[in-house]
Every structure is written in structure tokens, then in C-alpha cells.
Amino acid sequence: MCEDLSVDWDALHKLVEWHIAQGTHGIVAVGTTGESATLNVDEHIAVVKKVVEQVEGRVPVIAGTGANSTSEALELTEKAKGVGADACLLVTPYYNKPSQEGLYLHHKYIAERVDIAQLLYNVPGRTAVDMSADTVIRLAKIDNIVGIKEATGDISRVQAIKSQVDDQFVLISGDDETALDFMQAGGHGVISVTANVAPAAVAKICELIQQGKVEEAQIINQQLLPVHKNLFLEANPIPVKWALAEMGLIGHAIRLPLTPLAEQYHQALRDALKAASIEVVPA
């Protein structure tokens, strides 16, 4: 955000180019880290459109289009398709606490009405609802529901889902601390918070796991562990946006109800970044 709390288009442009140069395999536009929850619908779609136009097919662009209202999620998904997103990421409806049948019908409704690849997103720590493996397996039978971002940190879910779906169904971790174990168990990658500050390292871990070079991946992951942990000293995206500002990549502005990282956490996060050889601007 700019100091006047408008969208900082210049910073967005620089971040996208930096990620591509660093080897990031795909861009999630308007995920949690992108302050999706503080943007209005017009801003939301404008960000997706800007990223799609800038990327120009160099990597896939996944648009965050989930909402706790099925009609709003449908609208966002339709509009993201309209501006050229490659796929959409739809979080389980938060606050409403729907049943498993409600989750199934919500995602089915959107998938049947918008012909774009869709990833489910299960993050009960933020939404207060946990999509079961059985519900994921049911939804995986719908052609354009192509995978899930699973952020429970429960590694047993990888095989519980993987054993019952087609090989093409993609399982993506949404939890940095357990992502390496998730991939070793058969997952295909991670949509990462840590990758916002260490994109090359996270991309390399994914590549090494795919190549079967587990020990090399573990070495890099060990260096990143302090970052994995300390990026959640307060709710995401507060710490990661503060870290990016310390790296000189964005400004410090953030929209309410989010607030700047509390000063008591500054040194711990600086130390974590330093331990991972991530450079910050001198104070």
C-alpha cells in the first residue's frame, strides 16, 4: 500500500518482476499476503488484471477468488477469468462454518458455472471450517477442480487424498513449516508465505524434492526455519509485509483492521531474516 493506503502499483510491478527473476514457479495474485481481505472488488480484479498483463504468460497466475458468500466468490471467479487468470484459488467460506455438504455444494456451484481451473483452499486456522479429505475427494471428480492448497499441516492428508484421486489432481501445501514433509509424502509443491521474502530458496526446495534430492532440500529448509516460524509472530500478512518493507521492496503502509508489526517482534524477525541470509535495509 502507498502511504495514502491506495494500491501501490509500482511496488507490485517490482515484486512480480523480482519473483520471476528469482525463479518463482507461479504468482498468486490477491492471496492473503496480498491483503485480499482489505481490497474491494474493483481493486481485487484490478490487481489480478495488472499481474496477468505484466506476467505475459511467463509463469501461471492464480487469482485468489474465495469468499464466504457463494455469490461473491462466483463473481470474483468470473471476473478473474475475464481478465485472463490461469486458475483461481478459492478458500473455504469463512465465518459461516458450513457443513461438509455446504462446502461441497459451494465449490461445485462455482466450478460448474465458471470454466477455469480451480484450486480448493483449506485453512481452518483462519476460516473456522475444515474441509475433510472425503469432501476433497468428492470435489476432485469435478473436471475443473484441479487441486487443493492444504494448510492444516496434517501430513496424513496427503495420502488420504492422493490415494483416492486422479494423478493429475495437484496437492499443494499451504504451511511452510511442514511443506517439505508434505512434498516428501507425495505433495506437489507449496504456496508459501516464506517465498515472499525468499523466493529463490523456496523454489529450489521444490525443485530438489521433485528431483529426489531430499538432503539438499533439507539443508535449505533448515536455514529457512526461523523465517517460517517468525513470519507468524502476528497474523499473516502483518509480519511478511513488515519484512518486505525492511528489505526495501515495499512501503510500511497497511490497511485496517491490519496494523503494522508490533515493535516487540521487530528484532526477532530481523534476526530470522539475517539467519537465512536475507538482506534488510540498515536501520
mmCIF file of all heavy atoms in Angstrom, residues 130-151:
data_model
loop_
_atom_site.group_PDB
_atom_site.id
_atom_site.type_symbol
_atom_site.label_atom_id
_atom_site.label_comp_id
_atom_site.label_asym_id
_atom_site.label_seq_id
_atom_site.Cartn_x
_atom_site.Cartn_y
_atom_site.Cartn_z
ATOM 1 N N ASP A 130 -13.049 -26.842 8.505
ATOM 2 C CA ASP A 130 -12.035 -27.760 7.984
ATOM 3 C C ASP A 130 -12.669 -28.666 6.935
ATOM 4 O O ASP A 130 -13.582 -29.447 7.240
ATOM 5 C CB ASP A 130 -11.472 -28.593 9.141
ATOM 6 C CG ASP A 130 -10.299 -29.477 8.738
ATOM 7 O OD1 ASP A 130 -9.926 -29.476 7.536
ATOM 8 O OD2 ASP A 130 -9.757 -30.170 9.615
ATOM 9 N N MET A 131 -12.209 -28.547 5.692
ATOM 10 C CA MET A 131 -12.713 -29.402 4.631
ATOM 11 C C MET A 131 -12.091 -30.792 4.770
ATOM 12 O O MET A 131 -10.867 -30.939 4.721
ATOM 13 C CB MET A 131 -12.386 -28.815 3.249
ATOM 14 C CG MET A 131 -12.920 -29.651 2.093
ATOM 15 S SD MET A 131 -12.459 -28.974 0.475
ATOM 16 C CE MET A 131 -13.477 -27.512 0.427
ATOM 17 N N SER A 132 -12.907 -31.794 4.937
ATOM 18 C CA SER A 132 -12.404 -33.152 5.151
ATOM 19 C C SER A 132 -11.829 -33.733 3.869
ATOM 20 O O SER A 132 -12.142 -33.290 2.759
ATOM 21 C CB SER A 132 -13.527 -34.055 5.659
ATOM 22 O OG SER A 132 -14.473 -34.302 4.620
ATOM 23 N N ALA A 133 -10.990 -34.753 4.031
ATOM 24 C CA ALA A 133 -10.436 -35.449 2.866
ATOM 25 C C ALA A 133 -11.544 -36.026 2.005
ATOM 26 O O ALA A 133 -11.461 -36.007 0.767
ATOM 27 C CB ALA A 133 -9.474 -36.544 3.325
ATOM 28 N N ASP A 134 -12.601 -36.535 2.627
ATOM 29 C CA ASP A 134 -13.712 -37.110 1.859
ATOM 30 C C ASP A 134 -14.381 -36.061 0.980
ATOM 31 O O ASP A 134 -14.757 -36.348 -0.164
ATOM 32 C CB ASP A 134 -14.750 -37.720 2.805
ATOM 33 C CG ASP A 134 -14.267 -39.008 3.459
ATOM 34 O OD1 ASP A 134 -13.298 -39.614 2.944
ATOM 35 O OD2 ASP A 134 -14.857 -39.407 4.482
ATOM 36 N N THR A 135 -14.519 -34.843 1.490
ATOM 37 C CA THR A 135 -15.136 -33.773 0.697
ATOM 38 C C THR A 135 -14.218 -33.374 -0.455
ATOM 39 O O THR A 135 -14.681 -33.136 -1.584
ATOM 40 C CB THR A 135 -15.453 -32.562 1.587
ATOM 41 O OG1 THR A 135 -16.346 -32.970 2.625
ATOM 42 C CG2 THR A 135 -16.083 -31.433 0.789
ATOM 43 N N VAL A 136 -12.923 -33.311 -0.196
ATOM 44 C CA VAL A 136 -11.960 -33.017 -1.269
ATOM 45 C C VAL A 136 -12.055 -34.073 -2.361
ATOM 46 O O VAL A 136 -12.071 -33.750 -3.559
ATOM 47 C CB VAL A 136 -10.523 -32.960 -0.704
ATOM 48 C CG1 VAL A 136 -9.516 -32.756 -1.834
ATOM 49 C CG2 VAL A 136 -10.393 -31.852 0.331
ATOM 50 N N ILE A 137 -12.137 -35.329 -1.966
ATOM 51 C CA ILE A 137 -12.205 -36.431 -2.933
ATOM 52 C C ILE A 137 -13.469 -36.319 -3.784
ATOM 53 O O ILE A 137 -13.436 -36.535 -5.005
ATOM 54 C CB ILE A 137 -12.138 -37.782 -2.195
ATOM 55 C CG1 ILE A 137 -10.741 -37.962 -1.585
ATOM 56 C CG2 ILE A 137 -12.477 -38.937 -3.126
ATOM 57 C CD1 ILE A 137 -10.658 -39.014 -0.499
ATOM 58 N N ARG A 138 -14.579 -35.948 -3.163
ATOM 59 C CA ARG A 138 -15.822 -35.743 -3.921
ATOM 60 C C ARG A 138 -15.653 -34.618 -4.930
ATOM 61 O O ARG A 138 -16.042 -34.743 -6.097
ATOM 62 C CB ARG A 138 -16.971 -35.397 -2.977
ATOM 63 C CG ARG A 138 -17.495 -36.517 -2.122
ATOM 64 C CD ARG A 138 -18.609 -36.008 -1.215
ATOM 65 N NE ARG A 138 -19.834 -35.708 -1.959
ATOM 66 C CZ ARG A 138 -20.859 -35.010 -1.460
ATOM 67 N NH1 ARG A 138 -20.766 -34.484 -0.238
ATOM 68 N NH2 ARG A 138 -21.932 -34.792 -2.191
ATOM 69 N N LEU A 139 -15.072 -33.513 -4.499
ATOM 70 C CA LEU A 139 -14.913 -32.353 -5.378
ATOM 71 C C LEU A 139 -13.907 -32.609 -6.500
ATOM 72 O O LEU A 139 -14.016 -32.027 -7.584
ATOM 73 C CB LEU A 139 -14.498 -31.132 -4.557
ATOM 74 C CG LEU A 139 -15.620 -30.528 -3.697
ATOM 75 C CD1 LEU A 139 -15.059 -29.560 -2.671
ATOM 76 C CD2 LEU A 139 -16.654 -29.820 -4.584
ATOM 77 N N ALA A 140 -12.934 -33.461 -6.241
ATOM 78 C CA ALA A 140 -11.917 -33.763 -7.255
ATOM 79 C C ALA A 140 -12.513 -34.438 -8.489
ATOM 80 O O ALA A 140 -11.862 -34.472 -9.547
ATOM 81 C CB ALA A 140 -10.832 -34.651 -6.646
ATOM 82 N N LYS A 141 -13.713 -34.939 -8.386
ATOM 83 C CA LYS A 141 -14.373 -35.580 -9.537
ATOM 84 C C LYS A 141 -14.927 -34.552 -10.520
ATOM 85 O O LYS A 141 -15.303 -34.908 -11.637
ATOM 86 C CB LYS A 141 -15.487 -36.499 -9.039
ATOM 87 C CG LYS A 141 -14.969 -37.669 -8.198
ATOM 88 C CD LYS A 141 -16.110 -38.500 -7.623
ATOM 89 C CE LYS A 141 -15.575 -39.616 -6.731
ATOM 90 N NZ LYS A 141 -16.667 -40.391 -6.080
ATOM 91 N N ILE A 142 -14.989 -33.289 -10.096
ATOM 92 C CA ILE A 142 -15.457 -32.217 -10.986
ATOM 93 C C ILE A 142 -14.274 -31.767 -11.839
ATOM 94 O O ILE A 142 -13.205 -31.446 -11.322
ATOM 95 C CB ILE A 142 -16.020 -31.048 -10.157
ATOM 96 C CG1 ILE A 142 -17.212 -31.536 -9.324
ATOM 97 C CG2 ILE A 142 -16.422 -29.890 -11.065
ATOM 98 C CD1 ILE A 142 -17.717 -30.535 -8.303
ATOM 99 N N ASP A 143 -14.456 -31.761 -13.150
ATOM 100 C CA ASP A 143 -13.346 -31.625 -14.093
ATOM 101 C C ASP A 143 -12.421 -30.443 -13.814
ATOM 102 O O ASP A 143 -11.200 -30.574 -13.868
ATOM 103 C CB ASP A 143 -13.871 -31.528 -15.526
ATOM 104 C CG ASP A 143 -14.388 -32.866 -16.039
ATOM 105 O OD1 ASP A 143 -14.081 -33.904 -15.411
ATOM 106 O OD2 ASP A 143 -15.090 -32.875 -17.060
ATOM 107 N N ASN A 144 -12.981 -29.256 -13.559
ATOM 108 C CA ASN A 144 -12.112 -28.088 -13.449
ATOM 109 C C ASN A 144 -11.692 -27.775 -12.012
ATOM 110 O O ASN A 144 -11.057 -26.755 -11.756
ATOM 111 C CB ASN A 144 -12.741 -26.857 -14.103
ATOM 112 C CG ASN A 144 -14.099 -26.503 -13.551
ATOM 113 O OD1 ASN A 144 -14.870 -27.378 -13.187
ATOM 114 N ND2 ASN A 144 -14.406 -25.212 -13.490
ATOM 115 N N ILE A 145 -11.998 -28.657 -11.064
ATOM 116 C CA ILE A 145 -11.385 -28.580 -9.735
ATOM 117 C C ILE A 145 -10.137 -29.450 -9.790
ATOM 118 O O ILE A 145 -10.206 -30.676 -9.800
ATOM 119 C CB ILE A 145 -12.352 -29.013 -8.618
ATOM 120 C CG1 ILE A 145 -13.514 -28.014 -8.544
ATOM 121 C CG2 ILE A 145 -11.624 -29.099 -7.279
ATOM 122 C CD1 ILE A 145 -14.540 -28.317 -7.464
ATOM 123 N N VAL A 146 -8.994 -28.793 -9.879
ATOM 124 C CA VAL A 146 -7.763 -29.481 -10.282
ATOM 125 C C VAL A 146 -6.777 -29.728 -9.134
ATOM 126 O O VAL A 146 -5.739 -30.353 -9.338
ATOM 127 C CB VAL A 146 -7.044 -28.686 -11.397
ATOM 128 C CG1 VAL A 146 -7.935 -28.571 -12.618
ATOM 129 C CG2 VAL A 146 -6.617 -27.300 -10.900
ATOM 130 N N GLY A 147 -7.083 -29.222 -7.934
ATOM 131 C CA GLY A 147 -6.141 -29.435 -6.842
ATOM 132 C C GLY A 147 -6.596 -28.741 -5.572
ATOM 133 O O GLY A 147 -7.678 -28.159 -5.500
ATOM 134 N N ILE A 148 -5.736 -28.806 -4.565
ATOM 135 C CA ILE A 148 -6.032 -28.179 -3.278
ATOM 136 C C ILE A 148 -4.771 -27.598 -2.667
ATOM 137 O O ILE A 148 -3.685 -28.179 -2.774
ATOM 138 C CB ILE A 148 -6.671 -29.196 -2.293
ATOM 139 C CG1 ILE A 148 -7.050 -28.494 -0.970
ATOM 140 C CG2 ILE A 148 -5.742 -30.374 -2.038
ATOM 141 C CD1 ILE A 148 -7.904 -29.341 -0.039
ATOM 142 N N LYS A 149 -4.923 -26.444 -2.051
ATOM 143 C CA LYS A 149 -3.911 -25.897 -1.159
ATOM 144 C C LYS A 149 -4.339 -26.303 0.245
ATOM 145 O O LYS A 149 -5.345 -25.818 0.761
ATOM 146 C CB LYS A 149 -3.829 -24.375 -1.294
ATOM 147 C CG LYS A 149 -2.830 -23.733 -0.323
ATOM 148 C CD LYS A 149 -2.868 -22.207 -0.417
ATOM 149 C CE LYS A 149 -1.942 -21.569 0.612
ATOM 150 N NZ LYS A 149 -2.022 -20.084 0.602
ATOM 151 N N GLU A 150 -3.594 -27.199 0.848
ATOM 152 C CA GLU A 150 -3.951 -27.788 2.144
ATOM 153 C C GLU A 150 -3.039 -27.215 3.216
ATOM 154 O O GLU A 150 -1.827 -27.441 3.210
ATOM 155 C CB GLU A 150 -3.800 -29.318 2.055
ATOM 156 C CG GLU A 150 -3.911 -30.075 3.339
ATOM 157 C CD GLU A 150 -5.212 -29.821 4.077
ATOM 158 O OE1 GLU A 150 -6.295 -30.088 3.512
ATOM 159 O OE2 GLU A 150 -5.119 -29.339 5.223
ATOM 160 N N ALA A 151 -3.616 -26.419 4.118
ATOM 161 C CA ALA A 151 -2.814 -25.663 5.074
ATOM 162 C C ALA A 151 -3.025 -26.081 6.523
ATOM 163 O O ALA A 151 -2.778 -25.306 7.443
ATOM 164 C CB ALA A 151 -3.090 -24.171 4.917
#
